[in-house]
Amino acid sequence: MPRTLALNDNWDIMLDEMGNIAVYDDDYAIAQNVANAVRLFTNDAYFNKTRGIPHYDVELGNPAFPSRSVLYARIRQAAMNVSGVTDAEVQLDFDKASRAYTGNIYITTKNSTQVRIEL
């Protein structure tokens, strides 16, 4: 059973009604782990520097517009590498003016539950 610390809207830990550090289980834990995985930059994970997406190499250091297909593939692969995910679909929208991608990841968990995760 997947389990992870519960994070609030500011990505900070929070307390449950008993005053303990809150945790999430099952599908919500899987979804939060996917959200963490796609936001992780390479070399940012303290104990495993190889995890993460090399955003500096692909998007941020490149003056040209970021490649949608490369970013799509990297986000999907990061989601699929999360334990409990059986399928992932990525929907990306690019705003040329701000040079920013937004979108959603739709995952299917091992319990056959579909969850939408905002990017």
Side-chain angles (χ1 to χ4, degrees):
M1 168 173 68
R3 189 167 217 186
T4 189
L5 295 175
L7 301 177
N8 64 18
D9 291 342
N10 295 322
W11 286 79
D12 198 3
I13 60 173
M14 56 188 182
L15 302 178
D16 64 15
E17 57 277 350
M18 302 286 290
N20 300 314
I21 294 177
V23 295
Y24 289 134
D25 296 313
D26 291 330
D27 295 329
Y28 199 91
I30 293 169
Q32 185 168 285
N33 289 341
V34 169
N36 288 333
V38 300
R39 286 173 173 84
L40 180 64
F41 280 56
T42 306
N43 295 320
D44 277 353
Y46 186 78
F47 291 107
N48 187 349
K49 301 285 186 184
T50 63
R51 291 183 58 216
I53 298 175
H55 291 296
Y56 288 116
D57 298 337
V58 179
E59 298 91 22
L60 300 178
N62 189 349
F65 291 118
S67 168
R68 180 185 304 260
S69 61
V70 170
L71 187 56
Y72 174 93
R74 290 178 189 256
I75 290 172
R76 185 174 189 285
Q77 185 61 47
M80 292 298 296
N81 286 339
V82 173
S83 179
V85 174
T86 59
D87 191 26
E89 280 298 317
V90 180
Q91 174 252 320
L92 293 173
D93 298 311
F94 183 69
D95 179 15
K96 260 184 158 176
S98 66
R99 292 182 38 89
Y101 274 107
T102 60
N104 297 290
I105 305 169
Y106 299 92
I107 63 167
T108 304
T109 68
K110 63 182 181 178
N111 299 327
S112 298
T113 304
Q114 291 187 327
V115 182
R116 180 182 67 87
I117 303 161
E118 268 186 67
L119 290 174

